[in-house]
Amino acid sequence: MVEVHRAIAEAARLWQDPDYPARKRAVRQTLAESNRFTEGALAFAVNQQMSLLTEDSLAAWLGTEAVANPIHVGVIEAGNVPFAGLQDYLAVVGVGHRFLGAVSRRSPWLLPAFADEVAEQGGPGSHFVDNDAVVDVSDALIASGTDETIATLESACEEADIPSLLRGNRYSVAVLDGGETEEDRLGLAEDALLHEGLGCRNVALVFAPKDLDADPYFEALSVFRGTLQAHPDTSGSLKMQQAFLAAVKAPHAYGEGLVYLVSRGEAEVQSPAHIRWVPYSELAEVSEWLAGHADEMQLIAARVAVREQLAIPVEMVDLGEAQRPPLDWKPDGVDTVAFLRGL
């Protein structure tokens, strides 16, 4: 698989240049679609993922031996964040299977354009089909989507008698202890607000000591929004929620122009870009809650000193690392490469 990894790495090297024609065209087309991607967030996602793709990193993650019996693996890409299906594409072609992609109508340009680039650099060709057809033409399926979509796909895969790796709704949380630095607070803002809070790695719940001064954390949210501006649709989606909170006199805070919203209350996930601030008295009660909801979470972001006190079987990262996943991260705790090599 050395040649394939080399082609991927060369394509990634070219795509690290924002002005590279294929990338520039795909980005322009993507921003014109009906999604909540912004130019800044899109550049962040592409740059972050391209920077990981070296021959050595691909070999370490995927191995260098091709699978003995290549099959057609269908991949249904979620369109909530930019390049959501890139890791699955890399895993499929990087171990020697044949890739059949189905892109979201919210983001139909990025992944096909990058796959074309890999092929131009000597890698395997890839094919893209309609969502409705992918199960019928695949020997195995990987898919991410809403719980309702996944339930439908699970039934379809059972009927077609093909193996599947299906991922439903997940959210992420942060746990604070008051020892966070300014850098940590800015990292938390990125974890929560990048991609308008739409990703499974976005922090939706923030557990904080009940007597913690929240103002420095809210200031960090505003600073982040000054660096990477919100999508114009975000304030509109938060307007009714903020009005309701005000009407019932629920404690909350929001950024100028409603570019984010934070409400104080029970640990209940709100809509994207609406962060729930959950006060706690003892860290043990947070740990107990997290343990009871581990199968709903993608990751926990916290300082090392906090993570050492949380024995939860969920990915744990530093504040500011949620939106910077390593190449070999395991969505929903499942090893994609192991699944593909086991087919």
Side-chain angles (χ1 to χ4, degrees), residues 202-285:
N202 278 102
V203 166
L205 304 176
V206 177
F207 290 89
K210 63 180 182 180
D211 57 352
L212 180 66
D213 179 8
D215 286 347
Y217 298 85
F218 297 164
E219 175 62 25
L221 295 173
S222 296
V223 170
F224 177 80
R225 277 308 195 199
T227 303
L228 281 179
Q229 295 184 350
H231 189 277
D233 290 348
T234 294
S235 59
S237 68
L238 295 177
K239 186 175 182 179
M240 185 175 295
Q241 298 170 62
Q242 189 275 325
F244 173 78
L245 292 169
V248 299
K249 295 182 171 53
H252 66 284
Y254 54 91
E256 184 178 356
L258 263 180
V259 292
Y260 68 81
L261 176 64
V262 184
S263 62
R264 183 186 180 102
E266 297 297 318
E268 299 171 348
V269 175
Q270 306 298 301
S271 63
H274 179 173
I275 304 160
R276 175 52 61 91
W277 185 273
V278 187
Y280 70 84
S281 298
E282 300 291 339
L283 194 58
E285 68 189 65

Side-chain angles (χ1 to χ4, degrees), residues 172 190-191 201-203 299 301 317-325:
S172 296
E190 178 184 290
D191 293 342
R201 295 180 69 91
N202 278 102
V203 166
L299 62 82
V317 301
D318 290 333
L319 294 163
E321 292 298 318
Q323 303 298 341
R324 304 166 187 264

Side-chain angles (χ1 to χ4, degrees), residues 147-162:
D147 288 342
E148 293 77 11
T149 298
I150 293 305
T152 300
L153 288 172
E154 186 174 20
S155 296
C157 289
E158 289 177 357
E159 184 176 342
D161 193 25
I162 62 172

